[in-house]
Each structure stands twice: as C-alpha cells, then as structure tokens.
Amino acid sequence: MSNPARPPAAGALAERPPLTFPPGFLWGAATAAYQIEGAATEDGRAPSIWDTFSHTPGRTVAGHTGDVACDHYHRLDSDVALMAELGLKSYRFSVSWPRVQPGGSGPANAAGLDFYRRLVDELLSHGIEPWLTLYHWDLPQPLEDAGGWPARDTAARFADYTTLVADALGDRVRYWTTLNEPWCSAFLGYGSGVHAPGRSDGADAVRAGHHLMLGHGLGVQALRAARPTSEVGVTVNLYPVTPASDAPGDVDAARRIDGLANRFFLDPLLRGAYPADLTADLAGVTDFGHVRDGDLATISSPLDLVGINYYSRHVVAAPVPGEQPEAYWRAPSCWPGSEDVRFVTRGVPVTDMNWEIDAPGLTETLRRVHEEYTDLPLYVTENGSAFVDTVVDGEVDDVDRLAYFDAHLRASHEAIEAGVPLRGYFAWSLMDNFEWAWGYTKRFGMIHVDYDSQVRIPKSSARWYAEVIRRNGLAAQ
C-alpha cells in the first residue's frame, strides 16, 4: 500500500474537478460473512441455506461453495491491517447467524461470538468504526427446514438472535443494520430461486418479504431494549426504474417494477403501509392474508438511519402480445404478478455482471429517498462493480473499477449539494470473494484475492480510494 495510486488511463477521468465531502463523512468498505469467512464447519458453526444451496449440484457456477472463501476467519488480523492501510474510517461486516446460533434458536455459540468480539476489538484498536449487519442472507438451515422466511416464526427467531448479538457486542458497536437487501432474500431466494434457498413461488416470495421486514422491526425493538444508544437502520437495494418510452404501457410497466423493487420495502419501512397499487398488482399472487394487525406498526419502528445499496438502473417496457419476455435474473421470475414486463438494454457500458453503469441513477435514488420518504441520515452501504482483473508483475491496474467509483462518488456529492443528508459511503467490496451463485467467477474487490494461495494484492482502485479518504474527497483529474 505504500505505492501511490496510478493515474487512470488517458481520458478515463478527464477534466474532473476536485470535490470535498462534508467533515466527518464516513468512508468505509463492506463485506458479507458467507462471502469471505470460510471455516464453514469450525468452532460450532452449522449449515446455512447458502451452504446447502452451494453444495447442491447445478446451483452455483462450477459448483463453487463458500467453504473456504477468503479464509477471513483465520486471517482476521492481517485483513484488518489492510483496512488500516487503506485508511478506512468504518468497516461494514455481517455476522453469520449459524456461527452465532447454529440451530436458529436457543443459546449462543460462545466460540462464534468470540470471533466477532475479536474482530470488533481489532477494528477499534486501528481506529476503524465497526458497522454490524445482522443478516446478509445466511439463514440457519433448521429455520429453512421449518418454513424459512415465508413462515412467520422466522421473524421472531431473528429478534431472539438480534438480542444475543446485541448483548455480546453492543457495548462496542455503535452502528447496526438489521437486514441487507431484503428484496434479494425474498424475490431471488423464494421467487426466481437463483439464490438460496432456491425456491420458486411468487406467493412465498411476497410472504418472505413481509416477514423479513417484520423481523427487521422486531430486531429494531430488540436492539432498542438491549442497547438504547445504538444507531439502528436497515439496508435496501434500490433502483431507479425508467420506462423505455412515454407510451402508457411502458409507463405502467415502470410503475409495476418500481413497486416490487423499491416501494414494496420503502413504504412499509418508512410509511407504515403497503402501496395500494402494489397490492392490486399482486392480487393474483396473494391476498396479503399473512399481514396481521400491528405488523406494519412494528415494521415501521423508528430508525436512526437508512442504508442504500446501489448498482444500476432498470429500464422497462410493456409486454409485446405473443412475445415471451427475456428473463431477468433467469427464470422463473423474481417479479411476481409482473412476469411479462420486458427489461430493456440501452447499449451503454456494462460491468462484468452485465449491469449497466449509470452513476446519475445514484443521485436520483438518494434524492428520491430523501425528498419522498425521510429526513433521516442516509448512507450508501454498498456501491461497486465487477470487472475482469489481471495480475501483471504483482499488480492489478483496475482502471474501469476506479472510474466507476469516481463517477459514483461524484454522483453522491451531487446528492449532498442537492440537500440529501448523505453521511457515508461504503465501497463494495473490500476484497474479491464468493459472489453467490456466480461463485468465484466475478470479482468486485478493491483487494485482489488469489483463492489458491489466499495472497491479497491491493488493486489500483484500493490505492486510489485510500487517497480519497485521506483527502476527504476527490482530486482534480
């Protein structure tokens, strides 16, 4: 990390002015437990739905699993040292539920909690603020066997788990996120089935989404009871949704997808109600009989902050009669009740995930949440890009990723100038890792990981980001 950041390729960031962020802006990076920890069967950890899913033939690319991942469980000290070299002000990590509570209920596994105690202590010793995410998709397998998130009891089990973690770590952890991206957990896990647990039922997906939010609300209440001074929030993955044209059918298609992708979560969490048009769209899928009196008041329990994960924009169009739409996130659909909506590509640059690069969409998303929903502090809790990286002479010159970060940080600054109370930014991801169903074939990290040797190499984007943190902003280019 002693080498200065190399300038990007000629023209990549041409004529960009310097930008300074507000004092105290929280610069961080993020990871998730199953993606980096490994040690899948050590010290009392039991299987999660992702262990089961990844060990099921055909579910992940090349049968990759998170059994070893980045071996962070055994490399905690050196990984935190790398964070310190980057100058990170905060590190967002998730706790593995089956490591802490292997059966999904009952007492805590002391060895599992000890790992996170050591992690938090090591972060604090380097002046790095711990930012703890309670749930990043790794539901204990026994809870899935009992019905998973479509079952109401799972929400209650999440609250109990929250209390265990809060009691153990709440004296040293200030920032808490209950859930990470409940849309993915619900609609990819139970709708399209491309994520764990791999179930494909639209009604189950809707029930799962509701019970995830109910678990969030119960978790907020548990945190308030155990650690009243904590800063508590939730992280949602949001997309600006744009109609392909002004045609009424395309406009309605955008309304429908916006309902499922964004308002399904934002409205209950921040307004205490489901949008009427969304429940009408889903009438053929569910009657919402799973929603009980008091649920929405619990779901909308007061928060201290909102985390937003942003990667791309959706551009959609009305169905064409007689034409089968191209599947989004593979088939069956993760858009129950709107399976016929077409997702349109625009021919703009994309990442290695084939996600269109749209930095202005981040400004749009941040402004929307602030202007339409809440005055709460906002944080970009994930933003990043996968590209094909090459190690040359022991270095990785990831110019495209660097340019992606630069554009999205400028979009973040534009939102701040427009009055958005954006308080921090977490780059995704700290290091290359197990990219869910894509296994180890997609790299998002600022730090390159050789999965055979576990050697870490900070990429050009890491050195550049270190300079951004040092300056509290972007230098002129």
Side-chain angles (χ1 to χ4, degrees):
M1 288 296 299
S2 59
N3 294 332
R6 282 195 259 166
L13 304 179
E15 299 180 7
R16 301 292 184 97
L19 294 177
T20 300
F21 281 72
F25 193 80
L26 196 61
W27 296 101
T31 64
Y34 188 72
Q35 292 183 274
I36 68 166
E37 284 182 3
T41 60
E42 292 187 37
D43 294 335
R45 184 188 181 278
S48 74
I49 54 174
W50 269 99
D51 294 275
T52 302
F53 185 85
S54 64
H55 281 269
T56 302
R59 290 297 201 178
T60 64
V61 172
H64 292 171
T65 76
D67 289 359
V68 176
C70 304
D71 197 32
H72 173 69
Y73 191 79
H74 299 112
R75 298 168 186 270
L76 181 159
D77 292 350
S78 57
D79 283 344
V80 174
L82 277 174
M83 299 177 209
E85 288 186 46
L86 279 175
L88 294 185
K89 304 302 182 186
S90 185
Y91 172 54
R92 180 173 175 253
F93 64 95
S94 77
V95 170
S96 168
W97 189 346
R99 195 179 295 285
V100 165
Q101 195 183 38
S105 61
N109 171 33
L113 282 176
D114 284 346
F115 169 74
Y116 296 106
R117 289 189 179 99
R118 289 189 289 110
L119 173 59
V120 167
D121 288 347
E122 192 69 14
L123 291 169
L124 291 173
S125 73
H126 285 84
I128 300 170
E129 186 84 51
W131 186 299
L132 191 154
T133 298
L134 284 159
Y135 186 72
H136 200 132
W137 308 353
D138 48 359
L139 186 70
Q141 186 60 44
L143 293 184
E144 174 59 24
D145 295 340
W149 284 110
R152 185 180 183 88
D153 186 62
T154 305
R157 301 287 70 74
F158 177 75
D160 293 343
Y161 155 69
T162 297
T163 298
L164 293 178
V165 180
D167 285 345
L169 301 174
D171 59 334
R172 286 157 289 172
V173 175
R174 174 185 175 190
Y175 293 102
W176 296 76
T177 299
T178 52
L179 308 176
N180 181 78
E181 298 186 349
W183 183 87
C184 293
S185 295
F187 291 102
L188 298 183
Y190 294 93
S192 68
V194 301
H195 277 195
R199 289 160 58 179
S200 302
D201 183 282
D204 276 351
V206 174
R207 283 192 290 270
H210 178 76
H211 292 143
L212 279 153
M213 289 188 288
L214 180 62
H216 152 80
L218 294 171
V220 170
Q221 294 174 2
L223 280 164
R224 300 287 189 216
R227 300 293 179 178
T229 61
S230 297
E231 299 282 320
V232 182
V234 64
T235 280
V236 286
N237 55 309
L238 302 179
Y239 298 82
V241 183
T242 305
S245 76
D246 293 333
D250 292 354
V251 172
D252 190 61
R255 178 196 62 77
R256 295 172 74 93
I257 298 304
D258 177 63
L260 287 167
N262 300 320
R263 293 182 289 120
F264 185 99
F265 298 98
L266 287 173
D267 281 51
L269 290 166
L270 298 173
R271 293 177 176 169
Y274 282 105
D277 68 308
L278 172 68
T279 59
D281 290 343
L282 288 166
V285 178
T286 177
D287 62 2
F288 279 83
H290 53 276
V291 180
R292 298 184 186 177
D293 289 346
D295 281 5
L296 288 160
T298 299
I299 289 168
S300 58
S301 294
L303 300 175
D304 301 302
L305 57 94
V306 176
I308 295 169
N309 292 358
Y310 175 80
Y311 290 96
S312 190
R313 178 188 299 271
H314 293 321
V315 180
V316 298
V320 175
E323 181 178 305
Q324 191 71 17
E326 181 180 349
Y328 182 76
W329 281 98
R330 308 180 208 164
S333 177
C334 55
W335 306 106
S338 296
E339 295 90 346
D340 55 354
V341 169
R342 293 181 297 134
F343 286 78
V344 177
T345 57
R346 298 174 292 167
V348 302
V350 298
T351 69
D352 193 39
M353 298 293 291
N354 204 34
W355 298 346
E356 294 187 347
I357 300 171
D358 193 321
L362 176 54
T363 310
E364 182 180 330
T365 297
L366 292 168
R367 291 193 63 172
R368 180 191 186 185
V369 173
H370 173 60
E371 293 167 7
E372 297 184 20
Y373 284 94
T374 185
D375 291 326
L376 287 171
L378 305 183
Y379 291 81
V380 175
T381 39
E382 284 183 27
N383 177 238
S385 54
F387 290 105
V388 177
D389 295 321
T390 304
V391 180
V392 178
D393 296 330
E395 296 192 1
V396 180
D397 198 13
D398 58 334
V399 174
D400 289 337
R401 184 175 293 105
L402 193 160
Y404 181 101
F405 281 136
D406 181 271
H408 286 78
L409 284 175
R410 291 177 187 277
S412 298
H413 193 275
E414 184 176 337
I416 293 170
E417 290 187 320
V420 174
L422 183 63
R423 302 288 189 255
Y425 176 95
F426 291 79
W428 183 269
S429 175
L430 175 70
M431 65 182 79
D432 297 333
N433 52 47
F434 175 83
E435 184 48 40
W436 307 114
W438 290 100
Y440 299 102
T441 65
K442 306 295 181 182
R443 293 181 178 269
F444 277 86
M446 294 185 293
I447 296 173
H448 182 276
V449 178
D450 182 311
Y451 298 115
D452 293 325
S453 68
Q454 293 296 341
V455 169
R456 275 78 157 136
I457 301 174
K459 305 175 188 178
S460 291
S461 61
R463 297 193 295 267
W464 174 86
Y465 192 53
E467 280 296 300
V468 169
I469 296 170
R470 187 186 66 79
R471 293 174 181 270
N472 193 39
L474 304 171
Q477 296 287 348

